[in-house]
Amino acid sequence: MPDKLKIGIDLGSRKAKFALMRGANIVRLADLDTISFYKKYGSMVNDELSLDLLGSGIFTAEELAEAEITVTGYGRNSINLHGARVISEIKAHVAGARTQTGLANFTLLDMGGQDTKVAQVVGGRLTDFVMNDKCAASSGRYLENMAAVLEVSLEELSSHSADPVALDATCGIFGESELIGQILRGYAPERLCAGVNLTLVKRVMPMLKRFPSDTLVITGGVALNRAMVTLLRQQCGMQVVIPEHPQHNGAIGCAS
C-alpha cells in the first residue's frame, strides 16, 4: 500500500510555508507572504481559521481530498485550522530536522522572522528546548532592519563575516542607533555587515550553551545567512548542518 499523502503548513510570522509529501519523499514545497496569504485566502468561521487552499493554487482538488493536513503556527499565537491537526512549533521543527538530516542526536537552532528556538534532541526525542519570542533582536527581523539602515540587500549583508565592527546593544532598537553611530565613524560597509552578523551570533550563543552536543542543525530563513553560519561555526565548536530546505523545515515536519 502506498504511503499516505500529507500536507504540512507552517504559518510563520513572515512566510506561510507549505509541504506536500508522500512518505519521506517531498512532492512539492511552496511559500507565500503570510499577511497576503491571510488576506487573499483566509477567513474566520465560528472562531476557526479557514483557508482556501484550493484557491491558493498550491494544491489540486485531488491532493486536498486525499491528504491529511497538519499545521503549526508562529510563537504563542494559537492556530485552530478547520479540518487540520495542529501541533506545536517545536514539535514540527524537530520532526522536520530529523526528516531532512536523518540525525537522532543534535541541537536544533531555528531562527525565524520574529523568534528563535533552541532544542536538544537525544535518541530521536525532544528532551528540552528554550524560545526567545519576546524580542526580535535575535531573529530575521533584526537582520532586515539592520540591512535597511545600511541600505544593503539581505544577500549583501550575508556576504560579510571578516573583521566585524563591535556592536554591543542587546536591543534591536538601540542596535539601530548604535549602528548609525558606527556609520558616522566611517567604518567600511563590509565590516559593519560583519558586525551585524556577529551580533546575532552573540545573542544566540547563551541559548546554545544550555544544550551542548556534537552537531548543530540550523533551520529557518536565517540559516541562509552565510556569514552568520560562518561566524557560528567559529564560536560554537559543533559540527554545523544546514538541511536542504531550512526555510520549509517546519512544514516538512508537519507533513512527515
Side-chain angles (χ1 to χ4, degrees):
M1 180 179 294
D3 291 320
K4 179 80 174 176
L5 197 63
K6 295 182 179 180
I7 290 174
I9 303 175
D10 179 7
L11 296 172
S13 62
R14 310 288 286 167
K15 291 280 188 179
K17 284 87 65 178
F18 308 88
L20 180 67
M21 297 181 65
R22 190 178 290 283
N25 297 319
I26 297 174
V27 178
R28 188 181 309 127
L29 298 175
D31 59 76
L32 295 170
D33 289 338
T34 299
I35 294 176
S36 296
F37 176 68
Y38 280 150
K39 286 181 177 178
K40 290 180 180 177
Y41 307 112
S43 61
M44 294 300 294
V45 179
N46 298 325
D47 293 329
E48 284 189 330
L49 176 63
S50 178
L51 299 176
D52 181 11
L53 294 174
L54 181 60
S56 72
I58 298 172
F59 307 106
T60 67
E62 291 76 17
E63 290 167 346
L64 290 169
E66 177 186 348
E68 296 176 354
I69 301 177
T70 301
V71 62
T72 192
Y74 155 66
R76 295 170 294 181
N77 295 344
S78 61
I79 296 293
N80 191 19
L81 179 62
H82 180 72
R85 181 172 71 106
V86 180
I87 64 174
S88 69
E89 268 196 297
I90 197 68
K91 182 177 181 180
H93 285 283
V94 167
R98 289 211 63 207
T99 298
Q100 290 204 77
T101 68
L103 295 170
N105 300 287
F106 58 93
T107 298
L108 173 68
L109 170 62
D110 178 77
M111 303 183 74
Q114 293 189 5
D115 68 14
T116 298
K117 296 172 280 291
V118 177
Q120 189 165 48
V121 179
V122 179
R125 299 178 64 88
L126 172 68
T127 59
D128 203 354
F129 72 96
V130 61
M131 288 183 64
N132 175 16
D133 60 354
K134 296 181 176 61
C135 174
S138 55
S139 70
R141 178 63 67 88
Y142 170 78
L143 292 178
E144 291 176 358
N145 291 345
M146 295 299 105
V149 172
L150 291 168
E151 298 182 316
V152 299
S153 65
L154 285 174
E155 177 68 19
E156 175 69 16
L157 182 71
S158 71
S159 301
H160 304 290
S161 59
D163 199 15
V165 171
L167 297 169
D168 299 318
T170 57
C171 168
I173 301 300
F174 293 149
E176 289 186 17
S177 301
E178 184 183 25
L179 181 58
I180 292 170
Q182 300 294 46
I183 292 171
L184 294 174
R185 290 183 177 88
Y187 287 107
E190 294 82 2
R191 291 191 60 197
L192 293 167
C193 289
V196 169
N197 292 319
L198 180 60
T199 300
L200 200 61
V201 171
K202 289 192 293 187
R203 288 179 183 147
V204 301
M205 281 303 298
M207 300 171 70
L208 292 178
K209 288 179 179 176
R210 292 181 58 175
F211 306 124
S213 68
D214 293 333
T215 305
L216 175 65
V217 178
I218 308 177
T219 61
V222 182
L224 301 175
N225 182 318
R226 302 184 303 279
M228 194 279 294
V229 172
T230 296
L231 292 165
L232 201 51
R233 279 197 172 99
Q234 295 170 359
Q235 297 213 5
C236 74
M238 293 185 270
Q239 178 189 7
V240 173
V241 175
I242 310 293
E244 183 177 0
H245 307 290
Q247 285 182 295
H248 293 85
N249 186 65
I252 291 170
C254 286
S256 59

